[in-house]
Every structure is written in structure tokens, then in C-alpha cells.
Amino acid sequence: MLKDLLERNAAWSTTRQSEDPGYFARLAGQQSPEFFWIGCSDSRVPANVVAGLDPGEVFVHRNVANVVHSTDMNLLSALEFAVEALKVREIIVCGHYGCGGVKAATEDLPHGLADHWLEPIRRLARSYSVDLGRERDLEAQRDRLAELNVAESVRRVCETPILQRAWLRRADIRVHGLIYGLKDGLLRNLDCSIGPGHFLAANSEMERAL
Ligand code: CO
């Protein structure tokens, strides 16, 4: 109920202020998060909570199944703001096991608009069909696909003109891929991080010219 939600908010605000009287005044002044988080919209994977971060510490973009579409103005606007204005140093793409979006991408059922949104995951499933076929069951296949989707999203973030430009001007920004386990509450590093110097072919020419 909305009434309950507003009461919980009022209680939280009071507790916070009594613990740290300058807390809201400080945060209202400016945000300077270290991290930009691209995660799934799933209600069980809230960035601040699972990463143990306070308000002000992580700038967040979430969508169904943490897909990075190179034409998604919502994601690109948030990414550009994070890189150019907030000067974040760490970008995290975080997927999760048991992801409903990844599951939908593996089903032969119509899901309406979601089928368009999830097309990159369907494409990944086709590309890695042999690899995925080695998993013990459907659930394990979907979890492996969720990992592959994170790694693909990491690559796509790095290939945006936003990251390419930032690295050309020697910004020290790293993009990491993590996956969250709904069953144990743990984040795992997928070891697919990409850092400065990852240039697309055209930009490598520009880099040499610098
Ligand atoms: Co999900």
C-alpha cells in the first residue's frame, strides 16, 4: 500500500537524520558516486542493497535482463552523464542467475515487446548453442546464458563512442561484469573486465595519431 510505503519512508528519514544529522544536507549538495551500475530491473537485485552501498555511492541504470542496446538513448544518456559529468571510474554490468528476461529469451513463446528487447540474448544463445548444450539442464543453460549476456554487455559498453572517447583522452575507467546469485546473495566476478586501451579498429588509428 502507498500509505505504508510513505510511512516507512518517514521512519527511515527520521532514523537516518538521528544517526547522522548532516546526512541529507551533504547528499543534497552533490553526488559523487564511484560506480555506474547497469543491472536487471528484477526487484530482487537492487544495486545499493546487494553491493552494500549507501545513497550517493552508485549511479544506476536498470532494464530487463541488463541488455546493452547501442541505440538505447536511456542507457546512453545515463552512461554519458556517469562518464562525463560524474567522472565514475568503475562501471559494473551486473546480471543475475534465475533471470526472467534470460528465461523469456530461451522460450518459444510470444512475449510481445520483450521479444524485441531480448533479441541480443536470443542471438547469443544461437552463437553459443554448442557450449550451452554441455550444461546439465535447462536452468544451468539459462544461468550460463546470463553470464554470457553480462560479458556481451560489457563489450557493448566498451564499444560505445562514450567509452572510446573517454579512453582516447586517457580516462582511467574500467568496465566489469558481475553476476548475482539470488540463492546466496553473493556477487561473483566474471573476470571479463575491460580497461583503458580497448579501442575499436578505427579508434586505434586515432590513438596512434595522438
Ligand atoms: Co533479471
Side-chain angles (χ1 to χ4, degrees), residues 10-203:
W12 172 76
S13 170
T14 305
T15 308
R16 214 69 219 229
Q17 295 207 66
S18 64
E19 286 168 359
D20 179 358
Y23 181 74
F24 289 112
R26 223 168 38 244
L27 271 185
Q30 107 180 65
Q31 62 167 337
S32 53
E34 299 276 330
F35 303 99
F36 177 44
W37 173 285
I38 299 170
C40 182
S41 299
D42 193 304
S43 64
R44 298 165 294 181
V45 196
N48 287 75
V49 177
V50 304
L53 295 170
D54 279 329
E57 293 187 323
V58 58
F59 191 63
V60 177
H61 173 88
R62 290 164 71 186
N63 65 48
V64 173
N66 45 275
V67 179
V68 174
H69 286 267
S70 53
T71 54
D72 178 2
M73 291 304 287
N74 184 352
L75 186 147
L76 293 175
S77 306
L79 176 64
E80 186 175 76
F81 187 73
V83 169
E84 300 289 335
L86 297 175
K87 310 278 185 209
V88 299
R89 303 274 296 274
E90 314 277 348
I91 296 173
I92 292 167
V93 176
C94 183
H96 66 103
Y97 296 131
C99 181
V102 171
K103 177 171 176 282
T106 61
E107 292 172 335
D108 280 330
L109 295 168
H111 301 91
L113 265 181
D115 289 327
H116 297 276
W117 182 256
L118 300 169
E119 175 54 29
I121 305 182
R122 283 188 190 276
R123 220 176 312 131
L124 267 183
R126 286 195 295 272
S127 304
Y128 288 88
S129 59
V130 176
D131 208 26
L132 293 168
R134 293 194 197 103
E135 299 293 339
R136 67 184 180 281
D137 57 23
L138 197 53
E139 186 187 348
Q141 280 181 17
R142 287 170 175 159
D143 286 348
R144 176 71 188 129
L145 186 55
E147 294 176 349
L148 292 169
N149 178 45
V150 168
E152 178 68 12
S153 291
V154 166
R155 281 191 293 274
R156 283 179 173 234
V157 167
C158 295
E159 288 168 1
T160 59
I162 298 163
L163 262 287
Q164 294 290 303
R165 267 201 316 270
W167 282 330
L168 276 173
R169 63 160 198 268
R170 305 279 189 255
D172 185 16
I173 302 174
R174 276 155 225 284
V175 186
H176 311 282
L178 305 182
I179 195 134
Y180 176 76
L182 292 175
K183 292 176 182 170
D184 59 13
L186 293 175
L187 289 168
R188 291 167 182 78
N189 190 347
L190 291 175
D191 293 323
C192 58
S193 301
I194 296 177
H198 176 80
F199 293 109
L200 296 177
N203 289 345

